[in-house]
Amino acid sequence: MEFGQDPEAMLAVAACESTLRPDALGRAGERGLFQWMPMTWAWYAHRLGYTEADGWDVTAQARLAALAWKEGHRNWWTC
């Protein structure tokens, strides 16, 4: 997988965070498969050339999560 992450581990986290619903919304404003906070999404999205609208795209969500994990931020997800 891109950015060297284990696809099964990422799938398990997405299942825990959003029950694999790309349109999931959390109580604090988190959204998507990996429950990105809007400001965090915007910062990472900018780095990979995504826009705010791409925040609901499952490929974009997974790519950004993989990049965040690669950079040592796996602990952002509690699942």
Side-chain angles (χ1 to χ4, degrees):
M1 169 167 246
E2 188 174 15
F3 303 116
Q5 302 308 310
D6 177 7
E8 289 184 29
M10 293 193 71
L11 185 60
V13 168
C16 177
E17 290 285 342
S18 67
T19 62
L20 298 177
R21 288 184 38 235
D23 62 342
L25 290 171
R27 285 178 275 160
E30 320 89 326
R31 61 186 183 193
L33 289 174
F34 290 91
Q35 293 294 277
W36 285 97
M37 291 300 291
M39 292 296 289
T40 308
W41 169 267
W43 190 81
Y44 268 90
H46 174 74
R47 293 178 60 202
L48 291 181
Y50 290 109
T51 67
E52 181 73 20
D54 294 320
W56 300 108
D57 179 272
V58 295
T59 301
Q61 291 177 37
R63 287 188 74 218
L64 268 63
L67 176 59
W69 288 20
K70 177 183 178 187
E71 294 181 344
H73 301 294
R74 169 64 180 86
N75 64 331
W76 287 352
W77 289 268
T78 58
C79 295

